[in-house]
Amino acid sequence: MESCTVVIGSTSYKSLQEMAARSGESIPAILEKAIDHYRKQQFLAEANLAYAALRNNPEAWASEIEERAAWDITLADGLGE
């Protein structure tokens, strides 16, 4: 795995050390998990904003509802429950 150096504040570093000591995980492993969690949060926040913008545009929302209705046909494909 490639590595690099990142500068963080002493308070954050102490928190990482404490988390590592409690969990038995390495600081890099904890940082990777934190970054992944943050990336997922950002993705969902952006998706929520895009969805809100869609809902606030009557024409675009009507098109979305129309498309959903078209896809609802796939639920009646004859397969059992």
Side-chain angles (χ1 to χ4, degrees):
M1 172 172 66
E2 188 177 329
S3 66
C4 63
T5 301
V6 176
V7 178
I8 62 171
S10 60
T11 302
S12 295
Y13 185 68
K14 286 177 187 174
S15 294
L16 284 168
Q17 287 178 312
E18 290 170 6
M19 287 187 277
R22 281 195 311 269
S23 69
E25 293 182 279
S26 67
I27 289 176
I30 293 170
L31 284 171
E32 285 183 25
K33 287 181 180 180
I35 291 167
D36 188 54
H37 179 74
Y38 182 74
R39 182 188 55 77
K40 289 175 183 176
Q41 280 184 319
Q42 291 301 108
F43 173 81
L44 291 175
E46 291 171 13
N48 285 336
L49 287 174
Y51 186 79
L54 181 65
R55 291 280 318 232
N56 288 328
N57 180 332
E59 187 176 306
W61 185 245
S63 177
E64 170 69 16
I65 297 301
E66 185 178 314
E67 184 175 342
R68 288 182 188 190
W71 279 102
D72 278 347
I73 294 170
T74 63
L75 296 176
D77 60 4
L79 297 175
E81 292 293 320

